[in-house]
């Protein structure tokens, strides 16, 4: 068995929030038996995982000259459960090939495949091929889809028909994703897809995972009022923010161009998200008593450091004041340190740079001028410095006629 991260998953085993990804046209997984982009044979659970690789295999028998390799974009064979997972890339074989799974005996749900299928040996056809599953022995496939826009080879002996075929435009339409992907969790697991130009995006995307991306989805609620009344409270929900990056209750402002005098009809609502970082103020020198001593003010509390302090000394100094500031510190891999709080967030690193909603505070061996940070629009707020992509899903405000007695 061959796979990018495991040859097989035994019964009771789990692969979760894992991926395999390759660049270029080279074959990442090669197997003449059972091969998959993530794992060869699954008899456990694969959840919230994906593979974007090239899988290749032949597996020709010397006795009957038939091709028997079972290959899939995610798993070659599935005898367990695959859920909330997907595959892209390419699968080339002449035996049994599938966009997601080559041969299935068990459960597949809430999955998709956007995989190119083709022949390993150009002089032979393909015994069995399916854009989601090649061969189904038993089991079930629920709420699972494949990109029917990707052309199939012409010389396939038996075509697997499991899954629902959707065009690329359908799979990437942010306006219809709720109805297209029935039963999928787009608040905790999946990031909504988009076509080029939708929600201001220049790149088209299939559904992806929150855990694998810095994406914040703002879902505006719908509201109704009577003509002439003031607008009701307009609400929105946020999904995808990581708890260590920024407060879940980040300020959200929802607005509409409808006023009390607006005519009967439906108006769009849209939300604006702001993240409030911790207050960092330069403080060096702070007072004559601490002349030329580096320090900063954090949430109203001034903290001083020795010029000979190590990075761990700085972190310990922060944590000695947690009871006053509500902020804890930890050494960050690669240098610098991270400040976190239930209500505020800042990333502090070694280079003096200020980014949106995050602070990079310079702390070289000889302390220099510290930095002041103000609330900004959500952009770079993660502990690894990556920027969030915002998806604003509009809501509606419907104004109904006023009944006159």
């Amino acid at each position: 068995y061959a796979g990018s991260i495991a040859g097989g998953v035994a019964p009771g085993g789990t692969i979760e929030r894992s991926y395999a990804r390759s660049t270029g046209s080279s074959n990442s997984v090669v197997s003449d038996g059972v091969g998959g982009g993530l794992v060869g044979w699954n008899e456990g659970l694969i959840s919230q995982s994906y593979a974007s690789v090239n899988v290749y295999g032949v597996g020709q028998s010397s006795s009957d000259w038939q091709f028997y390799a079972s290959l899939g974009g995610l798993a070659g064979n599935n005898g367990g459960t695959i859920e909330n997972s997907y595959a892209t890339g390419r699968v080339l074989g002449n035996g049994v090939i599938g966009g997601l799974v080559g041969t299935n005996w068990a459960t597949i749900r809430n999955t998709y495949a956007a995989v190119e299928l083709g022949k390993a040996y150009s002089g032979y056809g393909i015994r069995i091929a399916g854009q989601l599953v090649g061969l189904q022995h038993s089991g079930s496939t629920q709420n699972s889809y494949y990109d029917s826009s990707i052309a199939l080879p012409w010389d396939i002996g038996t075509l697997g028909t499991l899954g629902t075929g959707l065009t690329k435009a359908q799979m990437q339409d942010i306006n219809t994703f709720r109805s297209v992907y029935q039963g999928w969790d787009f608040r905790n697991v999946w990031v909504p897809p988009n076509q080029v130009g939708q929600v201001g995006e220049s790149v088209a995307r299939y559904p992806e995972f929150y855990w694998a991306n810095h994406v914040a989805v703002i879902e505006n609620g719908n509201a109704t009022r009577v003509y002439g009344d003031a607008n009701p409270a307009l609400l929105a929900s946020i999904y995808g923010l990581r708890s260590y990056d920024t407060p879940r209750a980040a300020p959200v402002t929802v607005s509409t161009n409808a006023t009390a005098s607006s005519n009967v009809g439906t108006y769009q609502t849209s939300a604006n998200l702001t993240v409030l970082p911790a207050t960092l103020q330069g403080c060096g020198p702070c007072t004559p008593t601490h002349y030329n001593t580096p320090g900063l003010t954090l949430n109203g509390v001034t903290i001083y450091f020795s010029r000979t302090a190590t990075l761990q000394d700085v972190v310990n100094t922060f944590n000695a004041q947690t009871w006053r500031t509500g902020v804890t510190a930890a050494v960050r891999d690669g240098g610098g340190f991270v400040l976190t709080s239930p209500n505020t967030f800042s990333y502090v690193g070694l280079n003096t740079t200020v980014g949106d909603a995050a602070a990079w505070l310079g702390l070289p061996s000889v302390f220099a001028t510290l930095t002041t940070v103000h609330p900004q629009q959500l952009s770079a707020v993660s502990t690894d410095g990556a920027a969030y992509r915002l998806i604003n899903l509009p809501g509606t405000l419907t104004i109904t006629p006023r009944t006159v007695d």
Side-chain angles (χ1 to χ4, degrees):
Y1 310 142
S4 293
I5 66 173
V9 182
T14 298
I15 291 180
E16 186 175 20
R17 296 191 175 190
S18 301
Y19 71 93
R21 185 172 59 225
S22 66
T23 59
S25 58
S26 61
N27 298 312
S28 304
V29 177
V30 178
S31 174
D32 284 340
V34 177
L38 196 71
V39 302
W41 194 310
N42 174 53
E43 293 188 89
L45 170 65
I46 298 176
S47 179
Q48 292 193 52
S49 299
Y50 73 92
S52 182
V53 301
N54 298 326
V55 181
Y56 177 95
V58 179
Q60 187 176 25
S61 170
S62 59
S63 59
D64 61 8
W65 305 108
Q66 290 292 325
F67 296 94
Y68 290 100
S70 181
L71 311 172
L74 191 78
N77 287 351
N78 177 51
T81 297
I82 298 176
E83 64 180 14
N84 294 321
S85 297
Y86 69 89
T88 62
R90 185 175 63 188
V91 177
L92 301 179
N94 297 89
V96 179
I97 63 174
L100 189 80
V101 172
T103 304
N104 183 52
W105 281 271
T107 302
I108 298 173
R109 57 174 172 258
N110 298 354
T111 66
Y112 75 85
V115 174
E116 176 191 351
L117 301 179
K119 298 177 288 185
Y121 278 180
S122 60
Y124 297 85
I126 303 172
R127 286 182 58 223
I128 302 172
Q131 288 170 287
L132 186 79
V133 175
L135 175 62
Q136 174 88 347
H137 274 294
S138 58
S140 63
T141 303
Q142 307 161 17
N143 301 334
S144 294
Y145 309 92
Y146 60 85
D147 188 340
S148 61
S149 304
I150 301 175
L152 283 168
W154 63 270
D155 47 353
I156 297 174
T158 301
L159 180 63
T161 59
L162 287 180
T164 300
L166 301 171
T167 65
K168 181 176 294 185
Q170 289 175 310
M171 295 185 74
Q172 296 179 340
D173 192 348
I174 200 167
N175 297 313
T176 58
F177 72 90
R178 292 184 183 89
S179 59
V180 167
Y181 297 99
Q182 293 284 340
W184 287 31
D185 184 353
F186 282 97
R187 294 184 172 181
N188 302 290
V189 178
W190 294 97
V191 178
N194 67 268
Q195 298 173 1
V196 172
Q198 292 182 334
V199 292
E201 290 295 312
S202 60
V203 176
R205 294 180 175 87
Y206 295 97
E208 298 172 337
F209 297 122
Y210 282 113
W211 70 261
N213 296 273
H214 287 84
V215 178
V217 175
I218 310 172
E219 186 176 39
N220 292 263
N222 298 324
T224 303
R225 72 165 174 84
V226 176
Y227 171 78
D229 288 350
N231 288 338
L234 301 175
L235 304 177
S237 301
I238 310 171
Y239 307 105
L241 292 180
R242 306 182 184 192
S243 59
Y244 59 78
D245 279 341
T246 192
R248 293 190 181 279
V252 177
T253 302
V254 186
S255 61
T256 179
N257 59 2
T259 65
S261 60
S262 295
N263 292 327
V264 171
T266 299
Y267 298 81
Q268 181 173 295
T269 64
S270 183
N272 188 40
L273 174 64
T274 300
V275 175
L276 300 178
T279 302
L280 297 176
Q281 297 176 338
C283 182
C286 298
T287 66
T289 305
H290 297 87
Y291 178 72
N292 212 24
T293 300
L296 58 82
T297 299
L298 179 60
N299 288 352
V301 178
T302 300
I303 302 173
Y304 303 98
F305 307 98
S306 166
R307 284 189 176 279
T308 59
T310 65
L311 189 59
Q312 188 62 57
D313 291 336
V314 172
V315 167
N316 293 341
T317 303
F318 273 121
N319 290 335
Q321 299 295 328
T322 297
W323 65 279
R324 300 172 66 196
T325 65
V327 176
T328 58
V331 175
R332 178 180 182 270
D333 292 342
F337 55 91
V338 180
L339 300 180
T340 58
S341 166
N343 300 311
T344 57
F345 166 81
S346 282
Y347 161 66
V348 183
L350 290 177
N351 296 321
T352 306
T353 312
V354 177
D356 291 342
W360 284 262
L361 182 63
L363 287 174
S365 57
V366 177
F367 285 86
T369 303
L370 302 182
T371 309
T372 301
V373 181
H374 302 284
Q376 303 282 341
Q377 291 302 307
L378 177 64
S379 181
V381 298
S382 69
T383 53
D384 58 14
Y388 269 90
R389 178 167 58 92
L390 294 184
I391 298 177
N392 201 328
L393 302 178
T396 59
L397 171 63
T398 301
I399 302 177
T400 60
R402 180 174 293 278
T403 302
V404 179
D405 296 331

